[in-house]
Amino acid sequence: MAVRYLLLVAMLAACNRASPPDTALRAPDGSPVPNGILGQSIRRGHAILAATHDSLPQHVGSALRCLSCHLGDGRQRDALPLTGVYARFPQYRSRSATVQRLEDRINECFQRSLSGTALAFDDPAMRDIVAYLAFVSLGVPVGGHVAGEGLQVGTALHGDTIAGAHVFQVRCARCHGVDGGGSTVAPPLWGPRSFSIGAGMARIRTATAFIRRNMPRDSAGTLTDAEALDVAAYVTSRPRPDFVGKEHDWPRGDAPPDVPYSTLAGKRDPAGSPNRP
Ligand code: HEC
Ligand code: HEC
């Protein structure tokens, strides 16, 4: 039974991964992908998000793809949607204390979340990714926001890692592997092929909120708040790739309290109001 179930999961995942560019891709305003050269660029951008390592092996150090975290083609609410993102950049970001363009933000996910390296702004792959993100932003006014954007993070900063290890084995290991190293149906949660310590997902509040809403993938929403916190505490306590230069993050000293490393400028008072990641 269990084996048949896993086979089914594997087949479904294989279908997802092997399927040609989705002809049903729609912008938030309902419009289809346009024909012609622009449409081809949008479809290539979507394909890169869906198969990032295979598309750009020299830029991806992990076994993750962009859509490992930005679920549902980057369109799913409460699952880090990219809908409207083209309308929200350039933007001041406290982690770098600079104004970042959309390309800078994309590269942060390449370097931190995929444990990889940045693309040149004029790389054709960057142009295609931006074309897809602009497409999923059609109809969102400049500076506008969409429902389910970001994550509703809580305030808890500590969970029970022993209880979390148990939740992991019972609820997560069948897809993410008993050692968290991933499997054919799900990406790694820790270890050398996972996201880096500098990724937003390495922070307990981000991980808790993402897991609470979206995992287990086939029964999302079934964990209790405590189970989500404990398993996030366990996952974020495991070893993962370093992010070189992380101590220079939040140079104005406004690092949120759940950043799992020291910064040269220090952390803000945990009682202070949280920043977005
Ligand atoms: C390990 C999980 C993970 C992976 C993999 C990942 N991201 Fe992200 N990404 C995040 C998190 C967490 C945020 C922060 C969301 C927020 O600010 O609310 C984010 C934010 C973003 C944003 C800004 C969103 C906004 O609303 O401001 C963009 C753009 C983005 N990612 C693009 C990408 C691209 C492109 C890739 C693949 C190259 C990628 N991400 C891979 C976790 C991930
Ligand atoms: C039914 C299989 C399945 C189960 C069970 C499951 N996941 Fe996932 N998980 C996935 C898949 C698949 C993805 C990536 C989504 C994609 O590629 O479409 C994912 C993505 C993730 C991610 C973001 C990407 C990464 O690799 O870091 C986290 C974090 C995560 N899962 C945590 C958990 C936790 C914690 C549990 C247990 C409470 C869990 N998952 C249970 C299938 C599963």
Side-chain angles (χ1 to χ4, degrees), residues 49 64-66 69-70 80 82 85 88-89 102 105-106 109-110 113-114 129 133 150 195 200-201 206 276-277:
L49 263 56
L64 276 65
R65 56 183 191 152
C66 306
C69 299
H70 300 285
L80 305 168
L82 298 170
V85 76
R88 294 195 290 278
F89 281 81
L102 182 55
R105 186 68 189 86
I106 291 166
C109 270
F110 266 101
S113 296
L114 294 181
I129 293 172
L133 297 185
F195 54 86
M201 198 60 85
T206 307
R276 291 186 71 220

Side-chain angles (χ1 to χ4, degrees), residues 70-109:
H70 300 285
L71 302 180
D73 291 322
R75 304 240 356 240
Q76 190 175 315
R77 57 174 300 165
D78 302 313
L80 305 168
L82 298 170
T83 318
V85 76
Y86 188 79
R88 294 195 290 278
F89 281 81
Q91 182 187 106
Y92 172 77
R93 300 252 309 144
S94 58
R95 186 162 66 188
S96 57
T98 57
V99 173
Q100 290 193 335
R101 291 152 291 187
L102 182 55
E103 289 88 342
D104 295 306
R105 186 68 189 86
I106 291 166
N107 275 336
E108 288 206 316
C109 270

